[in-house]
Each structure stands twice: as structure tokens, then as C-alpha cells.
């Protein structure tokens, strides 16, 4: 028993720094990317189109849009459609998500971002931030998993509400009525499947 206890203690003693480093890595990544986006939003000398291109180029490498697309549709619905439909859905999901993200950034008006310590559960890391606006605090939780290419974001919770789960609820509602073709059709329409991020 003593050998087992010492073995476990030895394992955690030498693995805690690695876990701490990974949490710090992801937390630093979130802070770096948010800081860069805010810097670009504040720079009024940059053309809006160029600014948006730079924002997407900065954010794209740390997000797994393909996984986000699958999660937003749900395992059952994803497996029920053809590979061609999966590809088209993913492309439309990525396009719509990026456009929606950029539209929401236009609402930015010098809010302060407060960064909390990252937490780790199994192979997931969660980074909590607070968006402070006129005394109100909006909690935003960024979720990451470890892929073969490093840590990738797969979901964001705003005030405890998952963006992916919200999309899934909306998508499944359309799928039940009109199937994948109806969903693909709606994804091509600007303004569909919006997630509210209105300030209090």
C-alpha cells in the first residue's frame, strides 16, 4: 500500500508543473488573442475589411470549427447525413459563425476584460473571463480540448449558456421539420440562427 501511495504521490508531484504549464499556456493564448482583437477594434486607421481579415486570421488557428460544426448538429443528426452534406454543412456553419462573430464585434465599446485562472478537467481546459460594461459583468467561459495539433477551442459559454448547445437546439428544430436540406437552406440566409449577446 505504501508503495502505491508513494507512486501516486510521485506521479502527481512531477506532473503538476506540466498541467500548470498547459493551463497557463491556454489562458495566455486566450488573453493574447482577445488582446489582439481589442487592439484591432480600437485601431481606427485600419479599413474594416482588412481589420476583419486580420481578426479571423488571428482567431482561426485556435478554434476547431469542424468539431464545432459536428457538435452543433449532434452525433445522431451528423451520422444521419451524407459526407457531401456534412461537408456543405461544415462550410456553411464556419462561414455563418465567422460572419456572426464579426458582426458582434462591431458592438464593442471599450469594455474591460477580466481574466480568471484556467481550470482543467481530464483533457479539457476552461478559461473564464468577465466582460465588464457599466458596472455589469458578463461571464464568458472558453472551452478547449487537446488535439493532435495542440489546444483548440470548441465552445464558449456566455452567462452559462453554451453557444454550441444553443445552435444544436435551433438546428434540431429545423431538422425535425424539413431535414438537412431545409437546414442548409436556412444557413445560407443572413440573420438566421442568431445568438443574443445584447448588453444589459
Amino acid at each position: 500500500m505504501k508503495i502505491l501511495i508513494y507512486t501516486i504521490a510521485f506521479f502527481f508531484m512531477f506532473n503538476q508543473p506540466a498541467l500548470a504549464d498547459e493551463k497557463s499556456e491556454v489562458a495566455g493564448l486566450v488573453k493574447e488573442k482577445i488582446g489582439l482583437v481589442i487592439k484591432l477594434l480600437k485601431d481606427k486607421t485600419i479599413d474594416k475589411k482588412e481589420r476583419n481579415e486580420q481578426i479571423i486570421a488571428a482567431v482561426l488557428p485556435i478554434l476547431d470549427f469542424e468539431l464545432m460544426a459536428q457538435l452543433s448538429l449532434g452525433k445522431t443528426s451528423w451520422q444521419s447525413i451524407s459526407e457531401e452534406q456534412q461537408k456543405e454543412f461544415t462550410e456553411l456553419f464556419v462561414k455563418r459563425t465567422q460572419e456572426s462573430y464579426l458582426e458582434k464585434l462591431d458592438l464593442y465599446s471599450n469594455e474591460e476584460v477580466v481574466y480568471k485562472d484556467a481550470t482543467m478537467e481530464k483533457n479539457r481546459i476552461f478559461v473564464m473571463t468577465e466582460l465588464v460594461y457599466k458596472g455589469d459583468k458578463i461571464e464568458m467561459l472558453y472551452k478547449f480540448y487537446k488535439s493532435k495539433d495542440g489546444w483548440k477551442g470548441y465552445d464558449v459559454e456566455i452567462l452559462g449558456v453554451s453557444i454550441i448547445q444553443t445552435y444544436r437546439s435551433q438546428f434540431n428544430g429545423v431538422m425535425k421539420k424539413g431535414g438537412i436540406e431545409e437546414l442548409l437552406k436556412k444557413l445560407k440566409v443572413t440573420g438566421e440562427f442568431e445568438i443574443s449577446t445584447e448588453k444589459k
Side-chain angles (χ1 to χ4, degrees):
M1 180 62 71
K2 286 185 178 180
I3 294 176
L4 177 60
I5 292 173
Y6 282 124
T7 301
I8 294 174
F10 181 90
F11 174 82
F12 277 101
M13 181 175 66
F14 283 93
N15 277 273
Q16 284 303 313
L19 296 179
D21 287 345
E22 289 188 313
K23 289 193 293 184
S24 298
E25 174 192 344
V26 176
L29 195 60
V30 171
K31 188 173 183 178
E32 174 193 343
K33 296 303 181 181
I34 292 178
L36 178 56
V37 169
I38 290 177
K39 181 180 179 181
L40 288 168
L41 290 173
K42 288 182 175 181
D43 190 346
K44 304 304 179 183
T45 65
I46 304 177
D47 175 74
K48 184 177 178 178
K49 181 180 179 182
E50 180 183 350
R51 180 204 72 184
N52 287 348
E53 289 176 350
Q54 289 188 38
I55 288 174
I56 292 300
V59 174
L60 194 62
I62 68 167
L63 296 177
D64 191 336
F65 279 109
E66 290 188 4
L67 176 59
M68 291 168 68
Q70 293 182 37
L71 293 174
S72 70
L73 200 57
K75 185 177 181 180
T76 301
S77 295
W78 179 261
Q79 294 179 343
S80 71
I81 62 179
S82 68
E83 290 186 10
E84 184 178 345
Q85 290 169 330
Q86 290 175 353
K87 181 180 179 181
E88 183 177 3
F89 171 79
T90 300
E91 291 174 350
L92 289 171
F93 175 85
V94 172
K95 183 174 183 292
R96 176 60 52 226
T97 302
Q98 290 181 359
E99 289 175 349
S100 179
Y101 173 66
L102 292 172
E103 289 169 4
K104 297 298 185 294
L105 288 180
D106 286 334
L107 301 175
Y108 175 77
S109 54
N110 295 316
E111 291 88 345
E112 178 189 0
V113 179
V114 178
Y115 301 91
K116 303 293 185 177
D117 291 337
T119 59
M120 189 170 191
E121 295 180 17
K122 296 183 179 180
N123 63 335
R124 300 285 190 271
I125 288 181
F126 307 111
V127 182
M128 177 67 77
T129 68
E130 290 180 347
L131 190 65
V132 182
Y133 176 75
K134 293 184 178 180
D136 291 326
K137 295 180 180 179
I138 300 176
E139 289 187 341
M140 302 182 70
L141 182 68
Y142 297 85
K143 302 179 182 181
F144 287 78
Y145 82 102
K146 194 166 189 179
S147 73
K148 61 181 181 180
D149 299 316
W151 289 97
K152 296 283 187 178
Y154 67 93
D155 192 14
V156 179
E157 284 187 8
I158 301 175
L159 294 174
V161 179
S162 162
I163 288 180
I164 293 300
Q165 290 182 6
T166 301
Y167 274 135
R168 187 185 301 165
S169 177
Q170 295 177 8
F171 293 166
N172 286 344
V174 175
M175 289 277 285
K176 287 179 181 178
K177 294 180 180 179
I180 185 62
E181 292 302 330
E182 181 65 18
L183 178 57
L184 294 175
K185 179 180 177 181
K186 285 184 173 293
L187 278 170
K188 296 173 183 177
V189 179
T190 301
E192 291 283 352
F193 308 116
E194 288 298 314
I195 294 177
S196 176
T197 56
E198 292 182 1
K199 300 166 184 170
K200 297 182 180 179

